[in-house]
Structure formats: C-alpha cells, structure tokens
C-alpha cells in the first residue's frame, strides 16, 4: 500500500487521499498509488462513488517538478487520468488550497469538481516553460471555450473558486470545513439523485463555435509577439488548444503530448524550472535556522528621494507604520508628495481603494525633520545621498536616538556597510538592505551582511523581504555587493565594444534580442547618466592604471545628457516617450572619442556582443562566488533575474553558463584576453570547475 495515497471507506463512498507533503505533488509514487486505489474502488461493488482529495494544506499542486529532465517513470499521468475518466462510477474531485497543473488536470479527468471557499485552480505550466501535458489543453476548452482557455493557460494565473464556478471549471463551492466533508456530501447527492457521469472529454458545445475558424488562435499568436517575446511554450499552447477544437478528443490528447514533449526538451524548461526552485532556495541561508526575528511594526525611512519614497510605499502597503525623515521641510514635503503620487497611481490602477490610501496617508505615514521622531521604531532604512560622509552623519544621529534592538539599515548601492557600522555603538544591529528602483515595484532585495551583523538582524531582514513581497538574497560586503559589482564589469565591456566599433544601439538591440527587456544604454538613461558618472568619479582614486577607461559617457554627462530625466542621454526622448530615439549626436561623440585614441572601428555581430557581455558577467559572478560575497550560484541567478532583467527562461547567468558549457565560456574569455589581458583574467573558480569537469550547479547543492 503506497504511503502517499490511501483509500478510506465512508460507507458506500471511497475517499482517495493524496498525502505527499508539502504540496501533494504527483511524483511516481502518487501516480502509482492513485492508479491502484482507483482500481480498487472501481472494482469494489460496495463502492458507489469515489472522491479524490488532498491531505493537509492543499489539493494536488501539480506534477513533481523535480522529476523533469529525468527518465519518465510509469504510470504516466495521462494514463492515471484516463482511468478516472473511464471509471463507471462518479469520480468527484474535492478541491482545497491550490489545484494546479497536473493536479487540476486530475480534477478535470474527474466527472465533477467541488471546491471549498478560498480554493484556487490553475494551469501554471507556462511559467515552467511547458504546457499542461495531461489533458489540460484538451479538457479546459471543452469546459470554458477556446478563448478563455487560452487566457487561463497562457497567463498561468491562479483562478479563485468563485471565478472558476462562474466560468464552469468547477461545479460547486461547498461551505464545508474540509474537502472530505465537501466531497462526501457531493458524492452522496450524486448517488441519491443518480446524477449521470459527465465526462469532460464528451463536451463539445463550448468548442464548436471555434471549429474550422482560426481567428481566436491567430489573435492569440499575434498577441504573443508582444507578451511572450523569446518564449517557446506559449506558441505550443496555442497549437494544443487549436488541436482541442479541431481534432477528436483522443487525437487532441496525442497532439498535446507531442507538443508537451517539445517543451520538455526545450532549454527554456530547464531555465524556468531552475528559476522556480532557486527563488525558493535563496531564502534558505545557513546559520539562520532558529535565529529569532525581531518585531517589525514600525519603520523609519531617512531620505525621501527616488528610493526613500519607494521604500516607504513598499513598507506602508505591507502594513508597517512609517516615519519619513528628511533634512528640511521642503525636501520632506517633496518626499511625502512622491509617496502620495505613487499611492494615487495604485488607486488609479485599482490596486488600492481611495479609502485605504487615505487611511495609510493619515494613520500609518508621517514625516519629520527631527530624528528624535524615530526613537521608538523597530527598523530604519537610510536612503540619503550616496556619499560616505553624509551617510556616516546620518548613522551617528540614528545611533543616538534609536531604541535598543532597533535595526539600522542602509540602502547604499555600493558603499562599505562595515565602515558605516563601525561608526556606531551597535555594529551588530547594522545591515545593508539594498532595494532596486522603483523600490515599490522591483522584487529584489539584497540583504548585505556586515562582519558584525547579528544573525537575528539578518533573519529579520529576510522576514522583512517576505513581508514586502520581495525576494531577499544574502550578499557579503564589497563594492556593489552581488548585482552592481557584476553590472560594473559587464558594463565596462560594452563601453569597450562601443569604443572599438559597435554602436550603442547595436549593443542594445543585441542584448534585447538575447531576451533582456532593455538594453544597457536604455537602462543607463533610466537610472540616470549622472549616477554612472558619480560612480566613476568615486572610483577615480582607486582605479588600476592598467584598466582601460572609455570617456564617451563622461562626454554625455558634460553635455548635460542625463538620460530620460533630462530628455536626452544615449537616446533622445520626446514628451512622454520612455523608449527614446537613436541620436546621431551620440554616434558623433563616439566617433570623436575613437578618433582621439586612433581607434579604427571594427564591426561586431549581435552574437559577438552577447557572448562578450555574458562572459564578462559570468566571469565576475564566479569571482563573487569564490570570494563568498554570494553563497551559491543560484543566489547570483536570482539577483540577476529579479534585479537586472536577466531573461527568466535562461535561468540566470550561472544556469545559462552551465547550459552553454563552462569550457566554452572559459575559451571565450581566454580569446578575449589576447586583446586585453587585464580585463579578461579568468576567475580561478571558473578555471577550477572546468578542470574538474564540474559546473556551477554542483555548487548549489
Ligand atoms: N513539484 C515539486 N515541488 C514543489 C512543487 C511541485 N509541483 N510545488 C511546490 N513544491 C515545493 C517547493 O519547492 C517548496 O519546497 C515547497 O514545495 C513549498 O512550496 C503534467 C507537467 C503550490 C502555490 O507549477 O506554485 O503539473 O523549498 O514555497 O508559497 O501538466 O509552490 O520547501 O523545499 O512555493 O505556499 C505545475 C508550483 C507543475 C505549481 C505553494 N504546478 N508550485 O506555494 O509554497 S507542472 C506548479 C507553486 C505540471 C502537468 C505539468 C507553489 C504553491 P521547499 P512554496 P507556497
Ligand atoms: P535622491 O537624491 O533621489 O534622494 C536622496 C534624499 O536624501 C534627498 O531627498 C535628500 O534631501 C535626502 N537627504 C540627504 N541628506 C540627508 C540627511 N542628512 N538627512 C535626511 N535626508 C537627507 O537619491 P536616491 O536615488 O533615492 O538614492 C538614495 C540612496 O539609495 C543612495 O545611497 C543610492 O545609491 C541608493 N540607491 C539608489 C538607486 C537608484 O536607482 N536611484 C537604487 C538603489 C539604491
């Protein structure tokens, strides 16, 4: 008797309970157990109806994602679901928590579906680079029509029980306490009323309207050009749903399986599944287990500029009380107005009611120019100018007024957190909390741990990340921590390519073609050309004389081209335009800088640009790893995925490097080193892994 699927008899009703924590995933043992228990119940004459449910917190949350990429073990899920569908007795799925992917396909294979309040159903396979491969693309359109099925499967979004009922995905929402109660009540009624079996495979009404017509599918494919740029499986999903409409059920199931297999074999599946597990692993930091979390009820934000205002909003929307400190009343008013503007935009987008906005602004948010106002808060995030002396001054004031046990955090992008901590009487309460702009949107939070930062302060940092709906990544102290340090390195390589002959616009096109939402020069214009200039000035004193230095960006700064905020940077911006137009003025500046250095421009193919960009990123990432600034390669992947727009289907730079082959990356680096040995010194870790025939994944374990 499989331990993960048990059969319980409740009179003439058999309840098949899937009990495979944490989310009742459909691993081999569960599939085997389901098949056996179903067979048992179907062949037991005393059984008149069968209920399938999940134990503990949820129904089945899908196939066991860890099994992907491994040789498939029988029975297959389609086979198990076929048995349910074909069963001569009513089979009822009793849903609670989440019924997702293969879990919802199990429910669709049942003759009826009853859900508890609060349950959610969904087919999120697209987020893993695949498609519902056990009948989901064939049965869903038969219940709700092709167009709605496409919306559901292409978005992968969860559907709440009420919506699922109104769509026709489920048959009833039960007020029962448990899925067992709900399932038994529904089964009882089906037996007593002799409710006929309703096999979804036999339903045609919802798909007939689209049979022989391609408009719904053409429209979906057209839309994917914008919404799924670079992605593989969404196109296969449209093909599968079209097959559901055009083909007899069993042929459709066969076609779905072929398309499913194509997705499983696509590298995007590996990248997206790596991202799925990495964002769940990244919060598991050794040494934090059992560390207490300090209370988080009220917070302070020092500096109400671009970041301070966004951080305040993120905290307010998570239910924290927030006090903003600014250096003078005028700046405070500006900071408060920015918070109000951001919240107003959320009201306009229906993400927040006007009433709750007003409550937040009056009851949870306040401001002052007097640091004493922070005397009772639990945590403070400093977001003042990126200047060590200004920040040290702020930390001294915080150290003087904050209560014992309060956490002092800095949002610095690059500066030395240990130096800031050393200037206080409580260095163990100091931590870096590096948000990304816009802070109320970007999901990444680098949690920068200083030499003396206490474990419970780190643990509280991760608790805050979770509370703000962000992904926290532990980073060590160095210039730029994980993300900005790696950015600084690949950023230099593209400046070198531009000086050597590539146009900034060719570089942006190549990087966008790789899958980034924006090219590096577009990003520079968004963040501000002045931010890059200030960073370079800060490093002037310590820059190695052997390091090549490109002055093009300095010329833009000197010409007042600060980017979007000044209407011109690398691109030219007209009113309300955030994309920007290519600008011959910039091309001229580049040509002049080349001429000054006597550089004969050479051409770069998009692939050459991408390979150098990624090689620089991966090489510096390997150094970040070997120095322990990042704990594991997956921490770097999550950082670049959530903070720097790295295409999710590549899994992040370390996963991508593993898929390309570290030896290939090292070969590229060594060939580039022939031009510039200083810039292209292979990271020792990369060389060691290649020599040992190992990859970055081996370090994630
Ligand atoms: N397989 C294996 N492990 C899973 C899993 C799954 N499907 N879902 C979750 N886990 C692990 C997860 O890694 C974590 O582990 C723990 O469970 C708790 O998860 C044929 C092929 C269900 C909404 O895409 O969306 O079916 O870190 O931290 O926030 O068509 O997990 O503790 O070691 O996320 O409460 C389709 C994926 C599969 C659903 C719960 N299903 N899961 O969220 O907890 S493909 C999915 C989720 C498929 C068929 C195809 C969420 C959740 P650990 P968690 P949570
Ligand atoms: P900003 O110039 O927009 O805002 C800084 C604010 O700090 C100003 O409003 C200023 O009045 C206030 N301030 C200065 N000195 C003060 C003092 N002594 N007391 C109280 N308030 C004071 O800058 P920003 O872009 O919000 O950056 C703030 C910090 O966040 C910097 O360390 C920066 O490196 C970091 N950061 C910026 C970004 C970004 O994209 N802008 C991203 C991540 C981190």
């Amino acid at each position: 008797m499989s331990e993960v699927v048990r059969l319980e008899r409740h009179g003439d009703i058999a309840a098949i309970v899937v009990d495979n924590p944490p989310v009742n995933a459909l691993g081999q043992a569960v599939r085997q157990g389901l098949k056996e228990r179903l067979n048992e119940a179907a062949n037991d004459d005393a059984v008149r109806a069968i209920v399938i449910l999940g134990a503990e917190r949820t129904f089945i949350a899908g196939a066991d994602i860890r099994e992907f990429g491994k040789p498939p073990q029988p029975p297959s899920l389609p086979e198990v679901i076929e048995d349910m569908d074909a069963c001569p007795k009513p089979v009822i799925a009793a849903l609670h928590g989440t019924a997702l992917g293969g879990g919802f396909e199990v429910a669709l294979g049942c003759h009826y579906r009853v859900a508890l309040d609060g349950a959610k159903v969904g087919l999120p396979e697209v987020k893993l680079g695949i498609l519902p491969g056990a009948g989901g693309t064939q049965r869903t359109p038969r219940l709700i029509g092709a167009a709605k099925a496409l919306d559901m499967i292409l978005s992968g979004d969860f559907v709440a029980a009420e919506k699922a009922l109104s769509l026709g995905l489920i048959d009833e929402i039960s007020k029962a306490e448990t899925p067992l109660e709900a399932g038994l009540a529904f089964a009882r009624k089906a037996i007593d009323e002799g409710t006929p079996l309703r096999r979804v495979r036999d339903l045609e009404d919802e798909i007939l309207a689209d049979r022989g017509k391609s408009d719904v599918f053409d429209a979906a494919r057209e839309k994917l050009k914008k919404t799924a740029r670079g992605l593989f499986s969404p196109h296969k999903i449209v093909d599968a749903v079209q097959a559901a409409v055009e083909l007899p059920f069993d042929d459709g199931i066969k076609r779905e399986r072929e398309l499913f297999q194509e997705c499983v074999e696509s590298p995007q599946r590996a990248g997206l599944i790596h991202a799925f597990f990495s964002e769940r692993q990244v919060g598991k930091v050794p040494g934090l287990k059992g560390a207490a979390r300090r209370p988080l009820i009220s917070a302070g934000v020092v500096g109400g500029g671009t970041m301070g205002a966004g951080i305040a909003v993120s905290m307010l929307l998570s239910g924290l009380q927030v006090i903003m400190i600014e250096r003078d009343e005028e700046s405070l008013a500006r900071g408060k107005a920015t918070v109000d503007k951001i919240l107003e935009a959320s009201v306009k987008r229906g993400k927040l009611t006007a009433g709750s906005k007003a409550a937040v602004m009056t009851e949870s948010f306040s401001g002052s120019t007097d640091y004493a106002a922070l005397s009772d808060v639990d945590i403070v995030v400093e977001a003042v100018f990126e200047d060590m002396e200004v920040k040290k001054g702020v930390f001294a004031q915080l150290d003087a007024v904050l209560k014992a046990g309060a956490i002092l955090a800095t949002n610095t992008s690059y500066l030395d957190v240990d130096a800031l901590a050393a200037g206080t009487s409580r260095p163990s309460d100091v931590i870096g909390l590096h948000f990304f702009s816009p802070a109320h949107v970007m999901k990444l939070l680098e949690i920068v741990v200083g030499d003396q930062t206490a474990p419970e302060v780190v643990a509280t940092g991760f608790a805050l990340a979770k509370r703000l709906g962000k992904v926290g990544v532990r980073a060590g102290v160095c210039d730029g921590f994980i993300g900005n340090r790696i950015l600084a390195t690949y950023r230099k390589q593209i400046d070198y390519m531009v000086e050597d002959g590539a146009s900034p616009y060719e570089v942006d096109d190549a990087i966008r073609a790789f899958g980034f939402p924006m090219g590096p020069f577009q990003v520079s214009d968004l963040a501000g050309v002045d931010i890059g200039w200030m960073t370079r000035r800060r490093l002037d004193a310590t820059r190695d004389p052997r390091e090549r230095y490109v002055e093009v960006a300095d010329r833009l700064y000197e010409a007042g081209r600060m980017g979007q905020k000044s209407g011109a940077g690398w691109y030219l911006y007209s009113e309300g335009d955030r994309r920007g137009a290519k600008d011959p003025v910039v091309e001229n500046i580049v040509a002049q800088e080349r001429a000054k250095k006597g550089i004969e421009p050479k051409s770069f193919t998009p692939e050459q640009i991408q390979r150098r960009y990624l090689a620089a990123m991966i090489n510096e990432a390997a150094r970040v790893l070997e120095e322990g600034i990042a704990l594991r390669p997956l921490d770097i992947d999550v950082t670049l995925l959530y903070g720097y727009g790295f295409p999710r289907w590549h899994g992040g730079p370390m996963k991508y490097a593993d898929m390309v082959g570290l030896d290939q990356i090292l070969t590229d680096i060594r060939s580039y080193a022939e031009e510039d040995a200083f810039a292209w010194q292979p990271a020792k870790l990369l060389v060691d892994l290649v020599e040992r025939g190992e990859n970055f994944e081996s370090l994630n374990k």
Side-chain angles (χ1 to χ4, degrees), residues 203-224:
L203 306 177
E204 293 269 315
D205 299 357
E206 290 292 339
I207 53 175
L208 284 178
D210 295 302
R211 184 160 292 164
K213 285 188 265 137
S214 65
D215 345 14
V216 171
F217 308 107
D218 298 345
R221 291 187 178 99
E222 198 52 37
K223 193 168 166 213
L224 288 180

Side-chain angles (χ1 to χ4, degrees), residues 301 303-314 316-317 324 326 329-346 352 357 360-361 365 437-440:
V301 175
T306 310
M307 295 307 289
I311 294 167
V313 167
S314 186
L316 287 166
L317 293 177
M324 177 179 280
E326 259 287 358
E329 290 302 336
E330 189 203 342
S331 307
L332 181 60
R334 196 177 43 244
K336 284 180 151 181
T338 310
V339 169
D340 187 273
K341 197 166 125 237
I342 297 171
L343 290 174
E344 191 52 36
S346 300
L352 193 66
K357 180 208 159 197
V360 163
M361 287 300 284
F365 184 47
S437 180
H440 62 289

Side-chain angles (χ1 to χ4, degrees), residues 123-161:
L123 295 168
E125 284 86 345
V126 69
K127 296 179 179 171
L128 301 171
I130 53 178
L131 55 79
T137 68
Q138 304 304 302
R139 290 189 169 90
T140 309
R142 286 166 184 272
L143 277 176
I144 65 175
K148 292 192 184 114
L150 283 170
D151 287 349
M152 180 179 176
I153 304 173
L154 286 172
S155 69
D157 294 342
F158 299 177
V159 181

Side-chain angles (χ1 to χ4, degrees), residues 21-23 25-26 57-58 61-66 68 77-78 98 100-103 105 122-125 127-128 130-136 158 257 260 276-277 280-281 284 466:
V23 295
L26 288 154
R57 66 178 180 139
T58 184
D64 188 333
I65 303 172
R66 289 167 298 207
F68 283 111
L77 186 55
T98 52
L100 303 174
E105 290 173 299
L123 295 168
E125 284 86 345
K127 296 179 179 171
L128 301 171
I130 53 178
L131 55 79
F158 299 177
R257 204 68 202 173
F260 174 76
F276 174 88
F277 282 121
R280 283 163 176 77
Q281 283 306 100
K284 301 189 173 117
K466 192 156 189 177

Side-chain angles (χ1 to χ4, degrees), residues 439-516:
H440 62 289
V441 176
M442 295 294 281
K443 284 194 65 155
L444 180 65
L445 181 62
E446 271 184 324
I447 298 173
V448 185
V449 181
D451 292 346
Q452 303 186 57
T453 306
E456 73 258 22
V457 171
V458 181
T460 309
F462 275 94
L464 178 70
K466 192 156 189 177
R467 179 172 181 160
L468 302 182
K470 299 192 182 299
V471 178
V473 177
R474 183 203 178 284
V477 174
C478 70
D479 196 285
F481 320 125
I482 297 176
N484 281 349
R485 171 171 164 180
I486 295 171
L487 166 73
T489 302
Y490 63 78
R491 172 84 239 184
K492 283 182 196 138
Q493 280 307 325
I494 52 163
D495 290 337
Y496 299 162
M497 281 191 266
V498 166
E499 194 171 61
D500 290 342
S503 127
Y505 310 122
E506 280 175 336
V507 170
D508 274 5
D509 291 346
I511 299 307
R512 272 201 311 274
F514 181 78
F516 283 85

Side-chain angles (χ1 to χ4, degrees), residues 305-307 326-327 371 383-384 386 391 411 413 434-435 437:
T306 310
M307 295 307 289
E326 259 287 358
R327 56 194 170 142
Y371 279 73
V384 303
E386 183 74 348
K391 290 186 188 294
N411 182 54
S413 305
H434 183 212
F435 291 76
S437 180

Side-chain angles (χ1 to χ4, degrees), residues 424-438:
T424 72
S425 64
R426 48 178 116 186
S428 62
D429 296 331
V430 174
I431 192 167
L433 291 179
H434 183 212
F435 291 76
F436 287 74
S437 180

